[in-house]
Amino acid sequence: MLTISSQKNLTLSWRIFHTSAKPIPGRLLSYLSFQATREGKQKFDIPFNRQQLAEYLSVDHSALSNELGKMQREGLFTVHRNHFLIKTDLV
């Protein structure tokens, strides 16, 4: 019971960290950097679709999609659905 409670607390703490007063690119980079570090590789899948990711990061779905496209064109990463390939060092 204690383990479950502490895992839930840690998950909520990370969410607060990713959504603290930053613009959308900052929130997205924070989350993707965390996922890449957690997976230990530059290629990984996230457990959300775009709508769920927008809700998790507390941003508008269309604004998130626009930022994903913009950041992909800038060469930071490639994305296909929930699969990401980081091209630069986000950490």
Side-chain angles (χ1 to χ4, degrees):
M1 183 73 126
L2 183 59
T3 302
I4 293 170
S5 178
S6 59
Q7 286 176 343
K8 179 75 170 174
N9 188 25
L10 188 58
T11 301
L12 291 173
S13 295
W14 277 113
R15 182 173 183 192
I16 290 168
F17 177 75
H18 297 313
T19 60
S20 62
K22 296 179 211 159
I24 295 172
R27 293 178 185 204
L28 192 54
L29 289 176
S30 173
Y31 177 73
L32 294 176
S33 175
F34 171 75
Q35 288 296 114
T37 302
R38 194 176 94 182
E39 294 287 326
K41 50 190 172 182
Q42 292 180 298
K43 189 186 294 188
F44 57 90
D45 293 326
I46 62 171
F48 304 120
N49 62 32
R50 291 221 180 153
Q51 181 63 44
Q52 292 167 332
L53 181 60
E55 290 171 6
Y56 178 80
L57 296 176
S58 300
V59 297
D60 180 67
H61 175 261
S62 60
L64 176 70
S65 292
N66 287 338
E67 286 299 328
L68 281 170
K70 180 179 174 185
M71 294 167 81
Q72 187 170 348
R73 285 189 299 278
E74 291 173 356
L76 295 175
F77 52 77
T78 58
V79 59
H80 183 269
R81 297 183 188 239
N82 67 335
H83 182 77
F84 285 82
L85 171 61
I86 307 298
K87 294 183 177 180
T88 61
D89 185 25
L90 295 180
V91 180

Coordinates of all heavy atoms in Angstrom, one line a residue:
M1 N 0.8 -1.2 0.0 CA 0.0 0.0 0.0 C 0.9 1.3 0.0 O 0.6 2.2 -0.7 CB -0.9 0.0 1.2 CG -1.9 1.1 1.3 SD -3.1 1.0 0.0 CE -4.5 1.1 1.1
L2 N 1.9 1.2 0.8 CA 2.9 2.4 0.9 C 3.6 2.6 -0.5 O 3.7 3.7 -0.9 CB 3.9 2.2 2.0 CG 4.9 3.3 2.2 CD1 4.1 4.6 2.5 CD2 5.8 2.9 3.3
T3 N 3.9 1.5 -1.1 CA 4.6 1.6 -2.4 C 3.7 2.2 -3.5 O 4.1 3.1 -4.2 CB 5.1 0.2 -2.9 OG1 5.9 -0.4 -1.9 CG2 5.8 0.2 -4.2
I4 N 2.4 1.8 -3.5 CA 1.5 2.3 -4.5 C 1.3 3.8 -4.2 O 1.3 4.6 -5.1 CB 0.1 1.6 -4.4 CG1 0.3 0.1 -4.8 CG2 -0.9 2.3 -5.2 CD1 -0.9 -0.8 -4.6
S5 N 1.2 4.2 -3.0 CA 1.0 5.6 -2.6 C 2.2 6.4 -3.0 O 2.0 7.5 -3.5 CB 0.7 5.7 -1.1 OG 0.6 7.0 -0.7
S6 N 3.4 5.9 -2.8 CA 4.6 6.7 -3.1 C 4.7 6.8 -4.6 O 5.2 7.8 -5.1 CB 5.8 6.1 -2.4 OG 6.0 4.8 -2.8
Q7 N 4.4 5.8 -5.4 CA 4.5 5.8 -6.8 C 3.5 6.9 -7.4 O 3.8 7.6 -8.3 CB 4.2 4.4 -7.4 CG 5.3 3.5 -7.3 CD 5.0 2.1 -7.8 OE1 3.8 1.8 -8.0 NE2 6.0 1.3 -8.0
K8 N 2.3 6.9 -6.8 CA 1.3 7.9 -7.3 C 1.7 9.3 -7.0 O 1.6 10.2 -7.8 CB 0.0 7.6 -6.5 CG -1.2 8.5 -6.8 CD -1.7 8.2 -8.2 CE -3.0 9.0 -8.4 NZ -3.6 8.9 -9.7
N9 N 2.3 9.5 -5.8 CA 2.9 10.8 -5.4 C 4.0 11.2 -6.4 O 4.0 12.4 -6.8 CB 3.4 10.7 -4.0 CG 3.8 12.1 -3.5 OD1 3.3 13.1 -3.9 ND2 4.6 12.1 -2.5
L10 N 4.9 10.3 -6.7 CA 6.0 10.6 -7.6 C 5.4 11.0 -9.0 O 5.9 11.9 -9.6 CB 6.9 9.4 -7.7 CG 8.2 9.6 -8.5 CD1 9.0 10.8 -7.9 CD2 9.0 8.4 -8.4
T11 N 4.4 10.2 -9.5 CA 3.8 10.5 -10.8 C 3.2 11.9 -10.8 O 3.4 12.6 -11.8 CB 2.7 9.4 -11.1 OG1 3.4 8.1 -11.1 CG2 2.1 9.7 -12.4
L12 N 2.5 12.2 -9.8 CA 1.9 13.6 -9.7 C 2.9 14.7 -9.6 O 2.7 15.7 -10.2 CB 0.9 13.6 -8.5 CG -0.4 12.8 -8.7 CD1 -1.2 12.8 -7.4 CD2 -1.2 13.3 -9.8
S13 N 4.0 14.4 -8.9 CA 5.1 15.4 -8.8 C 5.7 15.7 -10.1 O 6.0 16.8 -10.5 CB 6.1 14.9 -7.8 OG 5.6 14.8 -6.5
W14 N 5.9 14.6 -10.9 CA 6.5 14.8 -12.3 C 5.5 15.6 -13.1 O 5.9 16.4 -13.9 CB 6.8 13.5 -12.9 CG 8.2 13.0 -12.5 CD1 8.4 11.9 -11.7 CD2 9.4 13.6 -12.7 NE1 9.8 11.8 -11.4 CE2 10.4 12.8 -12.1 CE3 9.8 14.7 -13.4 CZ2 11.8 13.1 -12.1 CZ3 11.2 15.0 -13.5 CH2 12.1 14.2 -12.8
R15 N 4.2 15.3 -13.0 CA 3.3 16.0 -13.8 C 3.3 17.5 -13.5 O 3.3 18.4 -14.4 CB 1.9 15.5 -13.6 CG 0.9 16.2 -14.5 CD -0.5 15.6 -14.5 NE -1.4 16.3 -15.4 CZ -2.6 16.2 -15.4 NH1 -3.2 15.3 -14.6 NH2 -3.4 16.9 -16.3
I16 N 3.4 17.8 -12.2 CA 3.5 19.2 -11.8 C 4.7 19.9 -12.4 O 4.7 21.0 -12.9 CB 3.4 19.4 -10.3 CG1 2.0 19.0 -9.8 CG2 3.8 20.8 -9.8 CD1 1.9 18.9 -8.3
F17 N 5.8 19.1 -12.3 CA 7.1 19.6 -12.9 C 7.0 19.9 -14.4 O 7.4 21.0 -14.9 CB 8.2 18.6 -12.7 CG 9.5 19.0 -13.2 CD1 10.3 20.0 -12.6 CD2 10.0 18.4 -14.4 CE1 11.5 20.4 -13.2 CE2 11.2 18.8 -15.0 CZ 12.0 19.8 -14.3
H18 N 6.3 19.1 -15.1 CA 6.2 19.3 -16.6 C 5.2 20.4 -16.9 O 5.4 21.0 -18.0 CB 5.7 18.0 -17.3 CG 6.6 16.8 -17.1 ND1 8.0 16.9 -17.4 CD2 6.4 15.5 -16.8 CE1 8.5 15.7 -17.1 NE2 7.6 14.9 -16.8
T19 N 4.2 20.7 -16.1 CA 3.2 21.7 -16.4 C 3.4 23.0 -15.7 O 2.6 23.9 -15.9 CB 1.8 21.1 -16.1 OG1 1.7 20.8 -14.8 CG2 1.5 19.9 -17.0
S20 N 4.4 23.1 -14.9 CA 4.6 24.4 -14.2 C 4.8 25.5 -15.3 O 5.3 25.3 -16.4 CB 5.8 24.3 -13.3 OG 7.0 24.0 -14.0
A21 N 4.5 26.7 -14.9 CA 4.4 27.9 -15.8 C 5.4 28.0 -16.9 O 6.4 28.7 -16.8 CB 4.4 29.1 -14.9
K22 N 5.3 27.2 -17.9 CA 6.1 27.2 -19.1 C 5.2 27.3 -20.3 O 4.1 26.8 -20.3 CB 7.0 25.9 -19.2 CG 7.9 25.7 -18.1 CD 8.6 24.3 -18.4 CE 8.9 23.7 -17.1 NZ 9.2 22.3 -17.1
P23 N 5.8 27.8 -21.4 CA 5.0 27.8 -22.7 C 4.9 26.3 -23.2 O 5.7 25.4 -22.7 CB 5.8 28.7 -23.6 CG 7.1 28.8 -23.1 CD 7.0 28.6 -21.6
I24 N 4.1 26.1 -24.2 CA 3.9 24.7 -24.7 C 5.3 24.0 -25.1 O 5.5 22.9 -24.7 CB 2.9 24.7 -25.8 CG1 1.6 25.1 -25.3 CG2 2.9 23.3 -26.5 CD1 0.5 25.3 -26.4
P25 N 6.2 24.7 -25.8 CA 7.4 24.0 -26.1 C 8.2 23.6 -24.9 O 8.8 22.5 -24.9 CB 8.2 25.0 -27.0 CG 7.2 25.9 -27.5 CD 6.1 26.0 -26.5
G26 N 8.2 24.4 -23.9 CA 8.9 24.0 -22.7 C 8.3 22.8 -22.0 O 9.0 21.9 -21.5
R27 N 7.0 22.8 -21.9 CA 6.3 21.6 -21.3 C 6.6 20.4 -22.1 O 6.9 19.3 -21.5 CB 4.8 21.9 -21.3 CG 4.4 23.0 -20.4 CD 2.9 23.2 -20.4 NE 2.6 24.3 -19.6 CZ 1.4 24.6 -19.0 NH1 0.4 23.7 -19.2 NH2 1.2 25.6 -18.3
L28 N 6.5 20.5 -23.4 CA 6.7 19.3 -24.3 C 8.2 18.8 -24.2 O 8.4 17.6 -24.0 CB 6.4 19.7 -25.7 CG 6.3 18.6 -26.7 CD1 5.3 17.5 -26.3 CD2 5.9 19.2 -28.1
L29 N 9.1 19.7 -24.2 CA 10.5 19.3 -24.1 C 10.8 18.7 -22.7 O 11.6 17.8 -22.6 CB 11.5 20.5 -24.4 CG 11.5 21.0 -25.8 CD1 12.4 22.2 -25.9 CD2 12.0 19.9 -26.7
S30 N 10.2 19.3 -21.7 CA 10.4 18.7 -20.4 C 9.9 17.3 -20.3 O 10.6 16.4 -19.8 CB 9.7 19.6 -19.3 OG 9.7 19.0 -18.1
Y31 N 8.7 17.0 -20.8 CA 8.2 15.7 -20.8 C 9.0 14.7 -21.7 O 9.3 13.6 -21.2 CB 6.7 15.7 -21.3 CG 6.1 14.4 -21.3 CD1 5.8 13.7 -20.2 CD2 5.9 13.7 -22.5 CE1 5.2 12.4 -20.2 CE2 5.3 12.5 -22.6 CZ 5.0 11.8 -21.4 OH 4.5 10.5 -21.5
L32 N 9.3 15.1 -22.9 CA 10.1 14.3 -23.8 C 11.5 14.0 -23.2 O 11.9 12.8 -23.4 CB 10.1 14.9 -25.2 CG 8.8 15.0 -25.9 CD1 9.0 15.6 -27.3 CD2 8.1 13.6 -26.1
S33 N 12.1 14.9 -22.7 CA 13.4 14.7 -22.1 C 13.3 13.7 -20.9 O 14.2 12.8 -20.8 CB 13.9 16.1 -21.5 OG 15.1 15.9 -20.8
F34 N 12.3 13.8 -20.1 CA 12.1 12.9 -19.0 C 11.9 11.5 -19.6 O 12.4 10.5 -19.1 CB 10.9 13.3 -18.2 CG 10.4 12.3 -17.2 CD1 11.2 12.1 -16.0 CD2 9.3 11.5 -17.4 CE1 10.8 11.2 -15.1 CE2 8.9 10.6 -16.4 CZ 9.6 10.4 -15.3
Q35 N 11.0 11.3 -20.6 CA 10.7 10.0 -21.2 C 12.0 9.4 -21.8 O 12.3 8.2 -21.6 CB 9.6 10.1 -22.2 CG 8.3 10.4 -21.7 CD 7.8 9.2 -20.8 OE1 7.6 9.4 -19.6 NE2 7.5 8.1 -21.4
A36 N 12.8 10.2 -22.5 CA 14.0 9.7 -23.1 C 15.0 9.3 -22.1 O 15.6 8.2 -22.2 CB 14.6 10.8 -24.0
T37 N 15.1 10.0 -21.0 CA 16.0 9.7 -19.9 C 15.5 8.4 -19.2 O 16.3 7.5 -18.9 CB 16.1 10.8 -18.9 OG1 16.6 12.0 -19.5 CG2 17.0 10.5 -17.7
R38 N 14.2 8.3 -19.0 CA 13.6 7.1 -18.3 C 13.8 5.9 -19.2 O 14.2 4.8 -18.7 CB 12.2 7.4 -18.1 CG 11.6 6.4 -17.1 CD 10.2 6.7 -16.8 NE 9.4 5.9 -17.7 CZ 8.1 5.9 -17.8 NH1 7.4 6.7 -17.1 NH2 7.4 5.2 -18.7
E39 N 13.7 6.0 -20.5 CA 13.8 4.9 -21.4 C 15.3 4.6 -21.6 O 15.7 3.4 -22.0 CB 13.1 5.1 -22.7 CG 11.6 5.2 -22.6 CD 11.0 3.9 -22.4 OE1 11.5 2.8 -22.9 OE2 10.0 3.9 -21.7
G40 N 16.2 5.6 -21.5 CA 17.6 5.4 -21.7 C 18.0 5.3 -23.2 O 19.0 4.8 -23.5
K41 N 17.1 5.8 -24.1 CA 17.4 5.8 -25.5 C 16.7 6.9 -26.2 O 15.8 7.6 -25.6 CB 17.0 4.5 -26.1 CG 15.7 4.0 -25.8 CD 15.5 2.5 -26.3 CE 14.1 2.0 -25.8 NZ 13.9 0.7 -26.1
Q42 N 17.1 7.2 -27.4 CA 16.5 8.4 -28.1 C 15.2 8.0 -28.8 O 14.5 8.9 -29.3 CB 17.5 8.9 -29.1 CG 18.7 9.5 -28.5 CD 19.7 10.0 -29.5 OE1 20.2 9.2 -30.3 NE2 19.9 11.3 -29.6
K43 N 15.0 6.7 -29.0 CA 13.7 6.3 -29.7 C 12.8 5.6 -28.6 O 13.2 4.7 -27.9 CB 14.1 5.2 -30.7 CG 13.0 4.9 -31.6 CD 13.4 3.7 -32.6 CE 14.4 4.2 -33.5 NZ 14.7 3.1 -34.6
F44 N 11.6 6.1 -28.5 CA 10.7 5.6 -27.5 C 9.3 5.9 -27.8 O 9.0 6.8 -28.7 CB 11.0 6.2 -26.1 CG 11.0 7.7 -26.1 CD1 9.8 8.4 -25.8 CD2 12.1 8.5 -26.4 CE1 9.8 9.8 -25.8 CE2 12.1 9.9 -26.4 CZ 10.9 10.5 -26.1
D45 N 8.4 5.2 -27.2 CA 6.9 5.4 -27.3 C 6.4 6.1 -26.0 O 6.9 5.7 -24.9 CB 6.2 4.1 -27.5 CG 6.5 3.5 -28.9 OD1 6.7 4.2 -29.8 OD2 6.5 2.3 -28.9
I46 N 5.5 7.0 -26.1 CA 4.9 7.6 -25.0 C 3.5 6.9 -24.8 O 2.9 6.4 -25.7 CB 4.7 9.1 -25.1 CG1 3.8 9.5 -26.2 CG2 6.0 9.8 -25.2 CD1 3.4 11.0 -26.3
P47 N 3.0 6.9 -23.5 CA 1.8 6.1 -23.2 C 0.5 6.9 -23.6 O -0.6 6.5 -23.1 CB 1.9 5.9 -21.7 CG 2.7 7.0 -21.2 CD 3.7 7.3 -22.3
F48 N 0.6 8.0 -24.3 CA -0.5 8.8 -24.6 C -0.7 9.0 -26.1 O 0.3 9.0 -26.9 CB -0.3 10.2 -24.1 CG -0.1 10.3 -22.6 CD1 1.1 10.9 -22.1 CD2 -1.0 9.8 -21.7 CE1 1.3 11.0 -20.7 CE2 -0.8 9.9 -20.3 CZ 0.4 10.5 -19.9
N49 N -2.0 9.2 -26.6 CA -2.2 9.8 -27.9 C -2.1 11.3 -27.8 O -1.9 11.8 -26.7 CB -3.5 9.3 -28.5 CG -4.7 9.7 -27.7 OD1 -4.7 10.8 -27.1 ND2 -5.7 8.9 -27.7
R50 N -2.3 12.0 -28.9 CA -2.1 13.5 -28.8 C -3.1 14.1 -27.9 O -2.8 15.1 -27.2 CB -2.2 14.1 -30.2 CG -1.0 13.7 -31.1 CD -0.5 14.8 -31.9 NE 0.6 14.3 -32.6 CZ 1.0 14.8 -33.8 NH1 0.4 15.8 -34.3 NH2 2.1 14.3 -34.4
Q51 N -4.3 13.7 -27.9 CA -5.3 14.3 -27.1 C -5.0 14.1 -25.6 O -5.1 15.0 -24.8 CB -6.7 13.7 -27.4 CG -7.8 14.3 -26.5 CD -8.0 15.8 -26.7 OE1 -8.0 16.3 -27.8 NE2 -8.2 16.6 -25.6
Q52 N -4.6 12.9 -25.3 CA -4.2 12.6 -23.9 C -3.0 13.3 -23.5 O -2.9 13.8 -22.3 CB -4.0 11.1 -23.7 CG -5.2 10.2 -23.9 CD -4.9 8.7 -24.1 OE1 -3.9 8.4 -24.6 NE2 -5.9 7.9 -23.6
L53 N -2.0 13.5 -24.4 CA -0.8 14.2 -24.1 C -1.2 15.7 -23.8 O -0.6 16.3 -22.9 CB 0.2 14.1 -25.2 CG 1.5 14.9 -25.0 CD1 2.3 14.4 -23.7 CD2 2.4 14.7 -26.2
A54 N -2.0 16.3 -24.6 CA -2.5 17.6 -24.4 C -3.2 17.8 -23.1 O -2.9 18.8 -22.3 CB -3.4 18.1 -25.5
E55 N -4.0 16.8 -22.7 CA -4.6 16.9 -21.4 C -3.6 16.8 -20.3 O -3.7 17.5 -19.2 CB -5.7 15.8 -21.3 CG -6.9 16.1 -22.1 CD -7.9 14.9 -22.2 OE1 -7.7 13.9 -21.5 OE2 -8.8 15.0 -23.0
Y56 N -2.6 15.9 -20.4 CA -1.6 15.7 -19.4 C -0.8 16.9 -19.2 O -0.5 17.3 -18.1 CB -0.7 14.5 -19.8 CG 0.4 14.3 -18.8 CD1 0.2 13.5 -17.7 CD2 1.7 14.7 -19.1 CE1 1.3 13.3 -16.8 CE2 2.7 14.5 -18.2 CZ 2.5 13.8 -17.0 OH 3.5 13.6 -16.1
L57 N -0.5 17.6 -20.3 CA 0.3 18.8 -20.2 C -0.5 20.1 -20.0 O 0.0 21.2 -19.9 CB 1.2 19.0 -21.5 CG 2.2 17.9 -21.7 CD1 2.9 18.1 -23.1 CD2 3.2 17.8 -20.6
S58 N -1.8 19.9 -19.9 CA -2.8 21.0 -19.7 C -2.6 22.1 -20.8 O -2.5 23.3 -20.5 CB -2.6 21.6 -18.3 OG -2.8 20.7 -17.3
V59 N -2.7 21.7 -22.0 CA -2.6 22.6 -23.2 C -3.7 22.2 -24.2 O -4.3 21.1 -24.1 CB -1.2 22.6 -23.9 CG1 -0.2 23.0 -22.9 CG2 -0.9 21.2 -24.4
D60 N -4.0 23.1 -25.1 CA -5.0 22.9 -26.1 C -4.4 21.9 -27.1 O -3.3 21.9 -27.5 CB -5.3 24.2 -26.8 CG -6.3 24.0 -27.9 OD1 -7.5 23.7 -27.6 OD2 -6.0 24.2 -29.1
H61 N -5.3 20.9 -27.6 CA -4.9 19.9 -28.5 C -4.3 20.4 -29.8 O -3.3 20.0 -30.3 CB -6.1 18.9 -28.8 CG -5.8 17.9 -29.8 ND1 -6.2 18.0 -31.1 CD2 -5.2 16.7 -29.7 CE1 -5.8 17.0 -31.8 NE2 -5.2 16.2 -30.9
S62 N -5.0 21.4 -30.4 CA -4.5 21.9 -31.7 C -3.2 22.7 -31.5 O -2.4 22.7 -32.3 CB -5.6 22.8 -32.3 OG -5.9 23.9 -31.5
A63 N -3.1 23.4 -30.4 CA -1.8 24.2 -30.1 C -0.7 23.2 -29.9 O 0.4 23.4 -30.4 CB -2.0 25.0 -28.9
L64 N -0.9 22.1 -29.2 CA 0.1 21.1 -29.1 C 0.5 20.5 -30.4 O 1.7 20.3 -30.7 CB -0.4 19.9 -28.1 CG 0.6 18.8 -28.0 CD1 1.8 19.2 -27.2 CD2 -0.1 17.6 -27.3
S65 N -0.5 20.1 -31.3 CA -0.2 19.6 -32.6 C 0.6 20.6 -33.4 O 1.6 20.2 -34.1 CB -1.5 19.2 -33.3 OG -2.1 18.1 -32.7
N66 N 0.3 21.9 -33.3 CA 1.0 22.9 -34.1 C 2.5 22.9 -33.6 O 3.4 23.0 -34.4 CB 0.4 24.2 -33.9 CG -0.9 24.4 -34.7 OD1 -1.1 23.7 -35.7 ND2 -1.7 25.3 -34.3
E67 N 2.7 22.9 -32.3 CA 4.0 22.9 -31.7 C 4.8 21.7 -32.1 O 6.0 21.8 -32.3 CB 4.0 23.1 -30.2 CG 3.6 24.5 -29.8 CD 4.6 25.6 -30.2 OE1 5.8 25.3 -30.4 OE2 4.2 26.7 -30.5
L68 N 4.2 20.5 -32.0 CA 4.9 19.3 -32.4 C 5.4 19.4 -33.8 O 6.5 19.0 -34.2 CB 3.9 18.1 -32.3 CG 3.8 17.5 -30.9 CD1 2.6 16.5 -30.8 CD2 5.0 16.9 -30.3
G69 N 4.5 19.9 -34.7 CA 4.9 20.0 -36.1 C 6.0 21.0 -36.3 O 7.0 20.8 -37.1
K70 N 5.9 22.1 -35.6 CA 7.0 23.2 -35.7 C 8.3 22.7 -35.2 O 9.3 22.8 -35.8 CB 6.5 24.4 -34.9 CG 7.5 25.5 -34.9 CD 7.0 26.7 -34.0 CE 8.0 27.8 -33.9 NZ 7.5 28.8 -33.0
M71 N 8.3 22.0 -34.1 CA 9.5 21.4 -33.5 C 10.1 20.3 -34.3 O 11.3 20.2 -34.4 CB 9.3 21.0 -32.0 CG 8.9 22.1 -31.1 SD 8.2 21.6 -29.5 CE 9.7 21.2 -28.7
Q72 N 9.2 19.6 -35.0 CA 9.7 18.5 -35.9 C 10.4 19.1 -37.1 O 11.5 18.7 -37.5 CB 8.6 17.6 -36.3 CG 9.0 16.4 -37.1 CD 7.9 15.4 -37.3 OE1 6.9 15.4 -36.7 NE2 8.2 14.4 -38.2
R73 N 9.8 20.2 -37.6 CA 10.4 20.9 -38.8 C 11.8 21.5 -38.4 O 12.6 21.7 -39.2 CB 9.5 22.0 -39.3 CG 8.3 21.4 -40.1 CD 7.5 22.5 -40.8 NE 6.9 23.4 -39.9 CZ 5.7 23.2 -39.3 NH1 5.1 22.1 -39.4 NH2 5.2 24.2 -38.5
E74 N 11.9 21.9 -37.1 CA 13.2 22.5 -36.7 C 14.2 21.4 -36.4 O 15.4 21.8 -36.2 CB 12.9 23.3 -35.3 CG 12.1 24.5 -35.5 CD 11.7 25.2 -34.2 OE1 12.0 24.6 -33.1 OE2 11.1 26.3 -34.2
G75 N 13.8 20.2 -36.5 CA 14.8 19.1 -36.5 C 15.1 18.6 -35.1 O 16.1 17.9 -34.9
L76 N 14.3 18.9 -34.1 CA 14.5 18.5 -32.7 C 14.2 17.0 -32.6 O 14.9 16.3 -31.8 CB 13.6 19.2 -31.7 CG 13.9 20.7 -31.6 CD1 12.9 21.4 -30.7 CD2 15.4 20.9 -31.1
F77 N 13.2 16.5 -33.3 CA 12.8 15.1 -33.2 C 11.9 14.8 -34.4 O 11.4 15.6 -35.1 CB 12.0 14.8 -31.9 CG 10.9 15.7 -31.6 CD1 9.7 15.6 -32.3 CD2 11.0 16.7 -30.7 CE1 8.6 16.4 -32.0 CE2 10.0 17.6 -30.4 CZ 8.7 17.4 -31.1
T78 N 11.6 13.5 -34.6 CA 10.6 13.0 -35.5 C 9.5 12.3 -34.6 O 9.8 11.7 -33.6 CB 11.1 12.1 -36.6 OG1 11.7 10.9 -35.9 CG2 12.1 12.7 -37.5
V79 N 8.3 12.5 -35.1 CA 7.2 11.9 -34.3 C 6.2 11.2 -35.3 O 6.0 11.8 -36.4 CB 6.5 13.0 -33.5 CG1 5.9 14.1 -34.3 CG2 5.4 12.3 -32.6
H80 N 5.8 10.1 -34.9 CA 4.7 9.4 -35.7 C 3.8 8.8 -34.6 O 4.2 7.9 -33.9 CB 5.3 8.3 -36.6 CG 4.2 7.7 -37.4 ND1 3.5 6.6 -37.0 CD2 3.7 8.0 -38.6 CE1 2.6 6.2 -37.9 NE2 2.7 7.1 -38.9
R81 N 2.6 9.4 -34.5 CA 1.6 9.0 -33.5 C 2.2 9.2 -32.1 O 2.5 10.3 -31.7 CB 1.1 7.7 -33.7 CG 0.3 7.5 -35.0 CD -0.3 6.2 -35.2 NE -0.8 6.1 -36.5 CZ -2.1 5.8 -36.8 NH1 -2.9 5.6 -35.8 NH2 -2.5 5.7 -38.0
N82 N 2.5 8.1 -31.4 CA 3.1 8.3 -30.1 C 4.5 7.8 -30.0 O 5.1 7.5 -29.0 CB 2.2 7.5 -29.0 CG 2.3 6.0 -29.2 OD1 2.5 5.5 -30.3 ND2 2.0 5.3 -28.2
H83 N 5.2 7.6 -31.2 CA 6.5 7.2 -31.3 C 7.4 8.4 -31.6 O 7.2 9.1 -32.6 CB 6.7 6.1 -32.4 CG 8.0 5.6 -32.5 ND1 8.5 4.6 -31.6 CD2 9.0 5.8 -33.4 CE1 9.8 4.4 -31.9 NE2 10.1 5.1 -33.0
F84 N 8.5 8.6 -30.8 CA 9.4 9.7 -30.9 C 10.8 9.2 -31.2 O 11.2 8.2 -30.6 CB 9.4 10.6 -29.7 CG 8.2 11.4 -29.5 CD1 7.0 10.9 -29.0 CD2 8.2 12.7 -29.9 CE1 5.9 11.7 -28.9 CE2 7.0 13.5 -29.8 CZ 5.9 13.0 -29.2
L85 N 11.5 10.0 -32.0 CA 12.9 9.8 -32.2 C 13.6 11.1 -32.0 O 13.4 12.1 -32.7 CB 13.3 9.2 -33.6 CG 14.7 9.2 -34.0 CD1 15.5 8.3 -33.0 CD2 14.9 8.8 -35.4
I86 N 14.3 11.2 -30.9 CA 15.0 12.5 -30.5 C 16.2 12.6 -31.4 O 17.1 11.8 -31.4 CB 15.4 12.5 -29.0 CG1 14.1 12.2 -28.2 CG2 16.0 13.8 -28.6 CD1 13.0 13.2 -28.3
K87 N 16.4 13.8 -32.0 CA 17.5 14.0 -32.9 C 18.6 14.9 -32.2 O 19.7 14.9 -32.7 CB 17.1 14.7 -34.2 CG 16.2 13.8 -35.1 CD 15.9 14.5 -36.3 CE 15.1 13.6 -37.3 NZ 14.7 14.3 -38.5
T88 N 18.2 15.6 -31.2 CA 19.2 16.4 -30.5 C 19.1 16.0 -29.0 O 18.3 15.3 -28.5 CB 18.8 17.9 -30.6 OG1 17.5 18.1 -30.0 CG2 18.8 18.4 -32.1
D89 N 20.1 16.6 -28.3 CA 20.2 16.3 -26.8 C 19.2 17.2 -26.1 O 19.4 18.4 -26.0 CB 21.6 16.5 -26.3 CG 21.8 16.1 -24.9 OD1 21.0 15.3 -24.4 OD2 22.7 16.7 -24.2
L90 N 18.1 16.7 -25.6 CA 17.1 17.5 -24.9 C 17.4 17.7 -23.5 O 16.8 18.5 -22.8 CB 15.7 16.9 -25.1 CG 15.1 16.8 -26.5 CD1 13.7 16.1 -26.4 CD2 15.0 18.2 -27.1
V91 N 18.2 16.9 -22.9 CA 18.5 16.9 -21.5 C 19.3 18.1 -21.1 O 20.1 18.7 -21.7 CB 19.2 15.6 -21.1 CG1 19.4 15.6 -19.6 CG2 18.3 14.4 -21.4

